Every structure is written in structure tokens, then in C-alpha cells.
Amino acid sequence: MLFQVGGQGTRPTFFEMAAAQQLPSSLRAALTYSLGVLALRRPFIHKILDYEDEFFALLMLVLETHSLRTTDASFAESLYGLRRRAVNIKVKTKDNIHSKKKILPLDSPADAIHHNGLEKRQKILSVVVLVVLPYFRSKLQYVYNREREATLQASLWGEGEERFGNIDYFDGSGNSSASGSSSGEEASTTRRCVMKRIQKIIAACYPWIHAGSEGLSFAYQLLYLLDATGFYSLGLHVLGIHVCRATGQELMDTSSRISKIRSRERERLRGPPWLKAVQGALLSSMYAVLDYAQTGLIAAVFFFKMMEWWYQSAEERMSAPTVYPPPPPPPPPKVAKEGIPLPPDRTLCPLCSQKRVNPSAVAVSGFVFCYSCIFKYVSQYKRCPVTLMPATVEQIRRLFHDM
């Protein structure tokens, strides 16, 4: 089968992997919107929005670390029932059969693939790929956007430092204060120059880095869709990790492993009985928060998106303009008694009684004549020949479709 879109086997479909990859960005957008709504009533929440990247990176660091520690999967992958497995390749020879662990090449046969649990090094590197790299990418994107806006503003209004940076201010003691702070100003100036150079380097290199990462991501996703590789992304390929569907036995083993880990952590508690009780209560609270973090976050996202849709539709209903029926057309102009009568055939010019040539209308009345006839008449009499309403040659309109 060319495109793997079915749900058979342990290999996740392309749509499952895409949904798991898009979940963190959707979660961040929903949390940002939710905090923005709450900040309207609680202004102190704006401090969290000022450090949006750091707040979301810290949140994902806790969630991803806990998820990889307990389920061998990322936060989004565990939600879709997926698990990360280290790739082993079984190498067969004539003399012996042994297993060798290495990163799977793209053209390895499917029957030579074996999966094991993640090592500690792979879990740590997975956290780096899932949390640290997106954080640095968002900061680079922020620096790039700010530098681009500064460049655009400088091209429109000129450099701000050229307008305001050359003005020197002195106090009553003349140059004494300037000479006393010259060293500090030189250090700050050097620091600003270094930061500007770094920002310019980022602004010049970031588009190429972004294009390269997006191109590699697209290539891996296309190969995964065509069943040409088992790695959905470059990060999984470098770490030597396959994402597989979790079986029922694996889910049961995960539950028992979580229970053993937590029992060992409770046994490590030291101190008097009352301190152990307090520490046990804190551990139980932390476990409850982490256990219900997935369900709670997804429910919160759904709730706030529903509220957004509800209030947005209500605002649209309130702000929608009232649709009134179109007004009736004005009555046709009346023919003056002293004016030129209209011919019975509407295709004839009332002035020359011939078929109209270059039909043109007088804007004040709407009647149509030959352009040469009406131009001569209006130039001489300054009025419409039918209704005798005042008119000028500027009010003659050329018609390109004569009825």
C-alpha cells in the first residue's frame, strides 16, 4: 500500500503522528488565549504573558519529563496511545546470530527491526528535542521579528540614534559628570554594539535555518507517509527512536511501573513521622496533578475554545448591522412641455431622430442621445433637451453598452 492510512499494526499512521506533533502548539495557543481573557479581570496575569515562552517551556518541561519517565512517550504521544521505543537491528551471520544496537537506516528490512525501552540518555535527549529546541526556536523567531521591524522602521523614518543619540546633556557642573561616567557609558555602548551585531547575525541566518528545518521536516514526513522510513522527524532519527502503538500489555506494565516508582519514592522519605506525613501528602498531591494534567489541560482547552466560539458568535449577532430592504428606485424624470419629445423607438436619438452613434447620457436626467448631438446642444443651451433641467458638458456620460 502506497499511503499508510489504516490503523493496523504497531506503526502509527501519518495522521496520528501529525496530530501528536500539532498538539503542543494548539495547547500553547489555547493557554495564551485563556490567560489573555483572565488578564482582563486580573491584570497581574500580564506578567505571565510577558514571559510566555519561559512559562510554556517550564510547563512542557514538567509534563514531558513526567510523561517520558512513566510512559516512555511524550505528553502528546501518550494522549494518543503511542510509545517511544529504541531501535535495534538484528544482524544475522552464518556462524552466529547476535544483536547489534544502532540507528536504523532507511532501507532496513522490516523483519530485522526490534524495539526496546528507552535508555536514560534517550529520555534526556528527547526532553531537549521536545522542550529546549522549540524554546530557542521561539526566541530566535522573536529576535528575528524585532530586528525586521527595526529595519523596516529605520528605512521609513531613519535611524533613531541618528536623530536623538547625538544630543549631550550636562548638569550645572559642566563636563565633570560626563567624565565621571565615561567608563560606564563606554562599557554599555560596547555591550549594545555586541548585542546589535548578534541580532543582525540572527536576522541574517534565521531565515536559512528556518527554511532548512522546515524542508527536512517536510522530507521526513513525506517519506513517512510513503512508508519509506520509520522515522517521522529528524530528531527521532538522530535519537534512534521509533514511535509505536502501545498494546494492552504495555499499558498494564506502565501502570505497574508507575506504582513501583511511587512506592520507592515514598520509601525514601526521611525524618520524623509528622514530616513523613507532610511529604507523603505533598507527593500524593503532585502525583494527582500530574496524573490528571493531560485530561485537565485538554478539557480546559476544549472549554475555553467553546467559550470563545460562544462569545464570538454572540458579539457577531450584536454587532451585525440590521439589513434593510433596498429603497425603491426614483421615479423617471418627466418630459417638459417645451422640451423635445421622445421618439417611439428607444434606439433613436431624440435630437437627430436617427439611430444613436456613440450613445451618451445626461447625468441629470438619464436620457440617451448621440454624443455629438448632446454635446452641441448642452454646450449651446446648458440644459437637457428633454427635461430642460440645467446641465453641463461635464455631466455627459459615455455609454459602452447601448440598450
Side-chain angles (χ1 to χ4, degrees):
M1 182 173 62
L2 182 60
F3 297 94
Q4 175 143 351
V5 296
Q8 299 178 357
T10 60
R11 185 177 188 270
T13 62
F14 174 81
F15 303 103
E16 289 175 311
M17 297 297 296
Q21 186 184 35
Q22 294 296 326
L23 182 61
S25 59
S26 302
L27 178 62
R28 177 172 181 170
L31 288 177
T32 303
Y33 171 79
S34 304
L35 292 175
V37 172
L38 294 176
L40 297 176
R41 294 180 175 271
R42 301 291 185 268
F44 67 90
I45 300 180
H46 282 290
K47 296 181 180 180
I48 299 177
L49 294 176
D50 292 338
Y51 299 94
E52 175 186 350
D53 295 332
E54 289 75 11
F55 169 75
F56 187 75
L58 181 61
L59 175 63
M60 295 306 298
L61 178 64
V62 174
L63 295 178
E64 299 290 3
T65 303
H66 173 72
S67 181
L68 286 168
R69 183 167 173 259
T70 56
T71 63
D72 283 348
S74 67
F75 172 75
E77 291 165 356
S78 61
L79 185 68
Y80 287 92
L82 306 178
R83 295 293 182 267
R84 293 193 170 201
R85 296 290 179 262
V87 177
N88 289 344
I89 301 177
K90 189 174 182 181
V91 181
K92 295 182 179 181
T93 61
K94 295 181 179 180
D95 299 333
N96 56 357
I97 299 176
H98 60 279
S99 295
K100 183 179 179 182
K101 186 173 182 179
K102 60 182 179 179
I103 296 178
L104 182 68
L106 296 179
D107 55 352
S108 296
D111 55 355
I113 300 173
H114 297 273
H115 299 100
N116 290 330
L118 296 181
E119 298 178 354
K120 185 177 180 180
R121 177 185 62 86
Q122 290 176 322
K123 292 182 180 180
I124 295 175
L125 293 178
S126 295
V127 173
V128 172
V129 173
L130 292 170
V131 180
V132 179
L133 292 183
Y135 170 73
F136 282 111
R137 183 176 181 179
S138 63
K139 300 306 289 185
L140 290 176
Q141 178 72 31
Y142 170 75
V143 173
Y144 171 74
N145 290 335
R146 189 174 62 178
E147 185 66 20
R148 187 177 60 178
E149 291 176 1
T151 304
L152 179 61
Q153 185 177 5
S155 64
L156 294 176
W157 306 102
E159 292 290 343
E161 294 182 358
E162 294 179 358
R163 298 196 307 264
F164 305 106
N166 296 328
I167 301 177
D168 296 330
Y169 297 93
F170 303 96
D171 55 5
S173 59
N175 296 331
S176 61
S177 61
S179 61
S181 60
S182 60
S183 60
E185 291 179 356
E186 290 178 358
S188 61
T189 302
T190 304
R191 193 180 302 108
R192 285 198 300 269
C193 292
V194 172
M195 292 301 298
K196 283 187 176 181
R197 289 181 181 178
I198 294 175
Q199 291 177 0
K200 289 182 179 180
I201 292 173
I202 293 175
C205 298
Y206 178 77
W208 298 97
I209 298 174
H210 180 71
S213 63
E214 291 296 324
L216 286 174
S217 178
F218 173 76
Y220 269 92
Q221 292 177 12
L222 181 62
L223 292 175
Y224 188 87
L225 179 63
L226 299 176
D227 202 8
T229 180
F231 301 102
Y232 185 77
S233 63
L234 177 62
L236 295 175
H237 197 172
V238 172
L239 297 178
I241 294 175
H242 270 181
V243 179
C244 307
R245 286 198 185 95
T247 61
Q249 184 63 35
E250 289 177 341
L251 295 176
M252 295 175 62
D253 295 341
T254 300
S255 300
S256 62
R257 183 174 59 181
I258 293 174
S259 301
K260 291 180 181 179
I261 292 174
R262 293 179 178 179
S263 62
R264 285 198 303 266
E265 290 179 350
R266 287 191 176 93
E267 291 174 357
R268 294 175 184 175
L269 299 178
R270 296 292 182 268
W274 65 269
L275 183 58
K276 289 184 179 181
V278 173
Q279 293 176 351
L282 291 177
L283 282 177
S284 300
S285 302
M286 184 181 66
Y287 294 152
V289 171
L290 292 175
D291 289 339
Y292 294 99
Q294 290 181 343
T295 306
L297 286 175
I298 299 303
V301 170
F302 175 77
F303 174 75
F304 279 107
K305 296 302 289 183
M306 184 184 67
M307 295 300 295
E308 178 187 12
W309 168 80
W310 178 269
Y311 285 110
Q312 184 177 4
S313 60
E315 291 177 358
E316 289 178 354
R317 289 194 300 268
M318 294 177 61
S319 60
T322 304
V323 179
Y324 295 99
K334 296 181 179 180
V335 179
K337 295 182 179 179
E338 295 81 5
I340 298 176
L342 295 174
D345 189 357
R346 293 186 177 184
T347 62
L348 301 181
C349 174
L351 291 174
C352 64
S353 299
Q354 302 292 327
K355 187 173 180 62
R356 287 191 293 261
V357 180
N358 292 330
S360 302
V362 181
V364 296
S365 62
F367 291 106
V368 184
F369 310 86
C370 297
Y371 179 78
S372 58
C373 299
I374 189 61
F375 185 84
K376 293 178 182 179
Y377 186 91
V378 172
S379 298
Q380 182 178 358
Y381 297 103
K382 308 295 183 183
R383 65 183 182 184
C384 174
V386 178
T387 61
L388 303 183
M389 297 174 64
T392 61
V393 292
E394 287 80 8
Q395 294 174 324
I396 300 175
R397 299 292 182 265
R398 173 75 169 85
L399 300 181
F400 297 93
H401 181 68
D402 192 11
M403 300 298 295

